[in-house]
Amino acid sequence: MKKYSTYRDAGVDIDAGNEFVRRIKPLVQSTFRPGVHTEIGGFGAAFSLSSTYFKDKEMLLVSSTDGVGTKLKIAFATGIHDTIGIDLVAMCVNDIAVMGARPLFFLDYFATGKLSVDTTVKVIEGIVAGCKEAECSLVGGETAEMPDMYSEGEYDLAGFTVGAVENDKLIDGSSITVGDLIIGVGSSGVHSNGFSLVRKIVFDQLGLKVNDIVPELDNKTIGEVLLTPTKIYVRQVHAVIRDLTVKGMAHITGGGFIDNIPRILPDRCKALIRSGSWTIPPIFHFLQREGEIDQHEMLRTFNCGIGLTMVCAAADAETVVHRLNAMGENAWIIGEITERKGDDPHEIEFE
């Protein structure tokens, strides 16, 4: 019988964990912005609000936590680990950006059965890239090595972000009214939702391998297409709301259009979305056709090419679209706010 007399014998390598921290320290420090008061490796992280955009202003802290779901399975299958961290950051920071908040700092949780320093550093490189894109600091995290909890080569990720917004500039949808227009901002692909269905269609039903090329998807491998990172919208949002009025925004994640847009609508308001008013990326046509997915299921499972929506007064809509287009984004007016009458149970409809 094998004897277990050290933590390493039981499957946990503290030396590997220390080497991992040593290697990522300069990566993490490269995300630091004014306000970070502590170095990586402490028990907690301290951040001063007085040295940010919000000095001497009454403000609110806004937070969000999320993961990337079974998109991780694609990373495991391809061996590509340096983009999944971007997804992790995006899923968190986009959720607070739609409230008008600037993300200030980010923390991650990485759990695995046996720590591979090289793989984990790649994951952190993606998180660092995401934090830089979102203009927030990676101030710490937790790396957990748990033998027997995960299959070899697999890991799980979670993220947490805190941001701030001036109290009188919080965007919550409460001022949305009938006649306002809905703007859709293009997604980069599937983002990080619906992958349990994606994997069933692509790998189980069609029998594709991650390195198989699909001609209609720009002749890229299916793995490359599915691993396209979630778009981070922080800079775009703040470029618009800096001097234009946006009444409400929705991050189109789990629940698609059908569950997310109604979350910002006041009572008696309804979202009317005009199908065909934006360009749908080929991956969604491919999934719908091969999976024989009906339109309602598509719109409740996937972003279908729209990663974020903005609601603004009709007089401002074209200006907002032009500003987004000038930043290189694809943006369209995709609908309007109508009156929700009587006992109508629906908060969103499509025409």
Side-chain angles (χ1 to χ4, degrees), residues 25 32 37 41 50 88 97 126 133 158-159 170 175 202 234 242 325:
K25 190 170 185 178
F32 284 6
H37 270 235
S50 64
L88 183 68
E133 175 66 22
L170 179 71
S175 64
V202 172
V234 173
R242 182 178 61 238
N325 291 161

Side-chain angles (χ1 to χ4, degrees), residues 92 109 111 120 130 162 238 261 285 293:
C92 296
Y109 173 80
T120 314
V162 172
H238 286 281
I261 294 177
H285 294 301
I293 307 171

Side-chain angles (χ1 to χ4, degrees), residues 53-87:
Y53 302 95
F54 308 100
K55 186 175 182 179
D56 300 325
K57 296 176 180 177
E58 185 179 354
M59 60 201 179
L60 299 171
L61 292 178
V62 183
S63 61
S64 177
T65 186
D66 211 333
V68 295
T70 61
K71 187 171 185 174
L72 288 170
K73 291 282 191 180
I74 314 297
F76 303 156
T78 60
I80 298 171
H81 302 282
D82 58 355
T83 60
I84 203 74
I86 300 174
D87 291 286

Side-chain angles (χ1 to χ4, degrees), residues 258-293:
I258 289 172
D259 287 348
N260 285 296
I261 294 177
R263 293 164 70 176
I264 62 169
L265 297 180
D267 291 341
R268 314 321 312 164
C269 283
K270 185 173 187 173
L272 173 64
I273 304 296
R274 293 192 171 86
S275 303
S277 58
W278 70 93
T279 302
I280 300 176
I283 183 61
F284 296 107
H285 294 301
F286 174 79
L287 291 170
Q288 184 170 21
R289 183 186 71 244
E290 299 299 334
E292 299 181 356
I293 307 171

Side-chain angles (χ1 to χ4, degrees), residues 35 45 48 50 93 115 120 124 132 137 140 142 146 151 159 206 251 265 297 299 301 318 327 338:
S48 170
S50 64
V93 298
L115 184 66
T120 314
I124 298 300
K132 288 181 176 179
S137 300
E142 165 69 1
M146 299 184 288
S151 299
L206 298 179
H251 183 200
L265 297 180
E297 186 68 18
L299 291 165
T301 304
E318 288 292 348
M327 296 183 69
T338 61

Side-chain angles (χ1 to χ4, degrees), residues 55-221:
K55 186 175 182 179
D56 300 325
K57 296 176 180 177
E58 185 179 354
M59 60 201 179
L60 299 171
L61 292 178
V62 183
S63 61
S64 177
T65 186
D66 211 333
V68 295
T70 61
K71 187 171 185 174
L72 288 170
K73 291 282 191 180
I74 314 297
F76 303 156
T78 60
I80 298 171
H81 302 282
D82 58 355
T83 60
I84 203 74
I86 300 174
D87 291 286
L88 183 68
V89 175
M91 295 300 288
C92 296
V93 298
N94 286 343
D95 275 355
I96 68 171
V98 297
M99 297 177 70
R102 288 185 179 275
L104 300 175
F105 56 84
F106 187 87
L107 298 100
D108 69 273
Y109 173 80
F110 180 98
T112 188
K114 181 175 177 56
L115 184 66
S116 165
V117 174
D118 289 341
T119 295
T120 314
V121 168
K122 286 292 185 184
V123 173
I124 298 300
E125 286 176 351
I127 293 173
V128 166
C131 284
K132 288 181 176 179
E133 175 66 22
E135 300 179 330
C136 69
S137 300
L138 176 59
V139 296
E142 165 69 1
T143 304
E145 190 174 17
M146 299 184 288
D148 306 324
M149 283 289 289
Y150 299 92
S151 299
E152 184 177 354
E154 295 193 351
Y155 54 83
D156 198 11
L157 283 175
F160 176 80
T161 193
V162 172
V165 60
E166 293 173 49
N167 190 42
D168 60 353
K169 293 185 178 179
L170 179 71
I171 299 173
D172 61 6
S174 59
S175 64
I176 291 174
T177 189
V178 173
D180 290 340
L181 297 184
I182 304 169
I183 294 165
V185 188
S187 70
S188 56
V190 183
H191 284 185
S192 297
N193 297 103
F195 271 85
S196 293
L197 178 57
V198 169
R199 291 185 302 106
K200 291 294 183 184
I201 295 169
V202 172
F203 303 119
D204 294 354
Q205 181 178 314
L206 298 179
L208 294 177
K209 305 299 182 185
V210 290
N211 291 322
D212 287 343
I213 292 175
V214 180
E216 69 183 275
L217 303 180
D218 296 326
N219 279 312
K220 294 180 179 179
T221 68

